[in-house]
Amino acid sequence: MARLFIKLNDQKIEAILDNAICPYTINALLRKGTINALIINTSYGILMNVGIISGYEKARDHFMAGEIAFDPRGPWLIVFKTETKYPSKANPIGRLNVNDIEKFAGIKNATLEFVQ
């Protein structure tokens, strides 16, 4: 399994990525390695622009709190804060601890590190 480390100022969050569900999307993120991402906080989740190209892959529109998905339209990596019916479909790629979501409050950018 691949992992994602999100560095927010002095905090570090670890997320598990599931290669079996969306291998093409996760491989594109792994090839990118480290990304400095702009963060947009919405009512349903945290959006991070990752600048990769990947299409729809086992996409769905219903997500639980703590799930991570990739929306190819943006291209956005989304950490869902609550159970959400997303307005379009996105690729589910992983999960982080729900308690870590509150660490994103007031944060405008982060460093994302994708590792195998």
Side-chain angles (χ1 to χ4, degrees), residues 27-42:
N27 283 335
L29 291 165
L30 287 169
R31 279 192 302 276
K32 193 83 170 185
T34 301
I35 301 169
N36 291 318
L38 168 71
I39 292 180
I40 298 174
N41 240 317
T42 67

Side-chain angles (χ1 to χ4, degrees), residues 101-112:
I101 293 172
E102 64 192 35
K103 294 178 182 176
F104 286 93
I107 302 293
K108 300 291 183 199
N109 56 38
T111 302
L112 311 177

Side-chain angles (χ1 to χ4, degrees), residues 40-114:
I40 298 174
N41 240 317
T42 67
S43 60
Y44 60 86
I46 296 109
L47 284 72
M48 297 173 273
N49 192 311
V50 292
I52 67 160
I53 296 172
S54 183
Y56 291 100
E57 184 178 17
K58 295 184 184 174
R60 57 184 162 98
D61 62 0
H62 185 262
F63 295 93
M64 302 301 291
E67 282 191 284
I68 302 171
F70 174 75
D71 184 349
R73 295 177 312 147
W76 299 100
L77 200 64
I78 307 161
V79 176
F80 289 93
K81 295 179 185 178
T82 61
E83 183 176 352
T84 303
K85 181 160 176 39
Y86 192 58
S88 67
K89 294 193 179 243
N91 300 338
I93 63 166
R95 169 165 216 81
L96 58 76
N97 187 324
V98 176
N99 297 329
D100 287 335
I101 293 172
E102 64 192 35
K103 294 178 182 176
F104 286 93
I107 302 293
K108 300 291 183 199
N109 56 38
T111 302
L112 311 177
E113 184 181 352
F114 297 90

